[in-house]
Amino acid sequence: MGLSPGDNEGPVAILRCRLCATRPAWSCRHPTRSFLLRVNLARPKRTPTLAQELALGSVFK
């Protein structure tokens, strides 16, 4: 969607894997963890400066 977190104070909900969802005291470190943020508080992503684009261009070539 091209948005950054913006004014979101924190996640509205945390989606976790099935194993960790049944054990809330555990810390979920699996790649299936995801944070849900409110879209109406999000802001558009900043556009990178020319210097940032040049720096990224040299890394990915």
Side-chain angles (χ1 to χ4, degrees), residues 4-34:
S4 66
D7 293 333
N8 280 295
E9 297 284 325
V12 175
I14 301 174
L15 300 177
R16 302 192 298 171
C17 67
R18 190 176 298 179
L19 177 65
C20 293
T22 59
R23 294 172 177 86
W26 285 18
S27 172
C28 183
R29 295 175 186 234
H30 301 103
T32 55
R33 182 174 68 177
S34 178

Side-chain angles (χ1 to χ4, degrees), residues 33-47:
R33 182 174 68 177
S34 178
F35 298 103
L36 296 179
L37 301 173
R38 292 178 54 182
V39 176
N40 62 339
L41 295 177
R43 296 181 182 211
K45 284 186 179 178
R46 295 183 309 157
T47 56

